[in-house]
Amino acid sequence: MGAFHALGYVCAMGAAEGLREADVAFAGIGWPQDVVDTRTYRSLCELRMHAGYDKGMYATCTVVASRQVGLLRDLPDDQLAQALSAGIEARVSSWEEQIAAGAGAAGPLAPVLSEYFDLVPLLGRPATAVYPNGNEMARGTFAGIDIWGRATLMTEDGRELEFSPEQAGIRPA
């Protein structure tokens, strides 16, 4: 059950990778689980996760297009859906195998964290942590993500602030 926490991150990786496979080279991840244009950090789509129990554990991932989806207009709808679906299914399957093999003992994102980093264009750049209502919480450099998916912002005075997705969003400064 503890590993389910990481599914949104893993699905975001799969969605970005699926788009890249379909020649959308600018697809990346906006922490924690949005797919963004790596050039502008504008959202391409959001992933909405739901997990539960019904004769066993299950999870669903719904991909919701954002206003910038026009950037994907070169792909026919069926090809776009196939790229997203195939990417998410492949990434989740691979991650699931790693978790079953014990690779997630340190934390549910441990098996894929370095690959997740590579897909987040804002890492190492000036960023703003914002409350869920959109108000600014803190400014600094987006310094990292831990094995539980928390984001770290390094402020100008050297403080390291950690945020869970429930606490804050990370946006370009």
Side-chain angles (χ1 to χ4, degrees):
M1 182 63 119
F4 268 55
H5 169 73
L7 268 174
Y9 298 85
V10 174
C11 288
M13 291 175 68
E17 291 166 342
L19 289 173
R20 286 181 175 198
E21 273 295 310
D23 294 325
V24 181
F26 54 83
I29 298 173
W31 179 85
Q33 57 194 32
D34 288 344
V35 178
V36 299
D37 182 333
T38 59
R39 303 164 301 183
T40 64
Y41 206 70
R42 288 188 169 171
S43 180
L44 296 173
C45 53
E46 298 175 12
L47 279 66
R48 296 186 182 156
M49 304 300 301
H50 178 77
Y53 187 86
D54 184 15
K55 298 178 186 171
M57 293 172 57
Y58 71 91
T60 60
C61 173
T62 303
V63 180
V64 180
S66 79
R67 287 179 252 170
Q68 298 303 314
V69 80
L71 294 170
L72 303 175
R73 73 177 136 250
D74 291 340
L75 291 175
D77 289 346
D78 60 335
Q79 186 180 355
L80 177 58
Q82 176 59 28
L84 290 165
S85 178
I88 291 169
E89 288 175 17
R91 178 49 83 171
V92 169
S93 177
S94 171
W95 171 79
E96 183 180 29
E97 289 173 12
Q98 292 173 306
I99 292 296
L109 280 178
V112 296
L113 192 56
S114 66
E115 294 169 282
Y116 184 90
F117 283 162
D118 293 342
L119 291 167
V120 180
L122 196 53
L123 274 169
R125 298 205 163 118
T128 303
V130 295
Y131 290 103
N133 67 7
N135 291 335
E136 185 176 313
M137 182 186 303
R139 283 183 176 257
T141 299
F142 190 5
I145 303 159
D146 69 15
I147 55 177
W148 293 99
R150 293 179 299 247
T152 302
L153 201 68
M154 178 74 72
T155 64
E156 285 186 19
D157 62 5
R159 291 182 299 140
E160 289 186 15
L161 306 175
E162 283 191 350
F163 304 100
S164 69
E166 298 81 17
Q167 292 175 299
I170 303 292
R171 307 286 178 262

